[in-house]
Amino acid sequence: MSPRAAWRLEAAGFDPVYDYAAGKADWLAADLPFHGEAQLVGQVTRRHVPTVPGEASTAQALEQLDTFGFGPVLVLNAASVVLGTLHREQLEAAPADAPVDRLLHFGVSTVRPSEQVADLTHRMHHANVTRVVVTRQDGTLVGLFFTEDQQAVDDSST
């Protein structure tokens, strides 16, 4: 927001007013609250998802899959940055005590919570992808977005 806009808001009685220099796009990509009609991925992302730390065992990762009933399992570092993913087939093929950091898929494709739901769903259908990892710009986990979750957005807009 410009300093002039901040001054006008303060003069109109809004308090507190902050000058967020990084801008609106950064704000939305950081998964921060907003007002408006936009239908963004962050609004329908599943935030409670299967995760394990890098030092977890394959047995612990499989337990997460069984608890949630969906995957993949996301491997996180101590700061909640997504390091990679694990899928049931590879976990079941590994010894139960194997550390997951030796099995994970690196280079996970991620999207920001600020993406438009319709645009992302269109790209996912085109790529034959049903779920995608949602992270903030610093790589920290927001959750998983499933194409089937677009229905929640469609239903709320009718």
Side-chain angles (χ1 to χ4, degrees):
M1 157 183 332
S2 74
R4 181 178 18 211
W7 177 85
R8 290 183 71 192
L9 287 169
E10 288 174 341
F14 290 93
D15 187 41
V17 175
Y18 299 97
D19 181 12
Y20 191 75
K24 181 179 175 182
D26 183 71
W27 181 273
L28 296 174
D31 197 34
L32 296 170
F34 72 96
H35 295 283
E37 301 297 318
Q39 296 177 333
L40 304 182
V41 169
Q43 295 170 293
V44 291
T45 294
R46 297 182 192 187
R47 292 167 186 267
H48 195 60
V49 299
T51 64
V52 293
E55 62 274 4
S57 69
T58 57
Q60 291 169 308
L62 281 167
E63 184 178 310
Q64 285 288 300
L65 283 176
D66 292 340
T67 298
F68 284 89
F70 63 86
V73 176
L74 304 172
V75 180
L76 309 178
N77 72 8
S80 293
V81 172
V82 176
L83 302 176
T85 60
L86 299 162
H87 297 273
R88 182 173 296 278
E89 306 80 42
Q90 71 187 119
L91 291 167
E92 289 176 342
D97 62 347
V100 296
D101 62 357
R102 295 189 183 157
L103 302 172
L104 60 90
H105 292 288
F106 293 101
V108 176
S109 293
T110 64
V111 298
R112 301 291 172 258
S114 55
E115 292 234 18
Q116 292 283 337
V117 170
D119 294 342
L120 177 59
T121 304
H122 175 77
R123 290 195 328 266
M124 290 171 70
H125 282 299
H126 184 69
N128 199 29
V129 173
T130 60
R131 60 198 72 179
V132 66
V133 179
V134 182
T135 62
R136 296 174 190 86
Q137 289 177 314
D138 63 0
T140 56
L141 178 65
V142 174
L144 288 170
F145 175 79
F146 290 70
T147 53
E148 66 195 50
D149 294 340
Q150 180 184 10
Q151 187 63 41
V153 173
D154 292 344
D155 290 345
S156 69
S157 64
T158 56

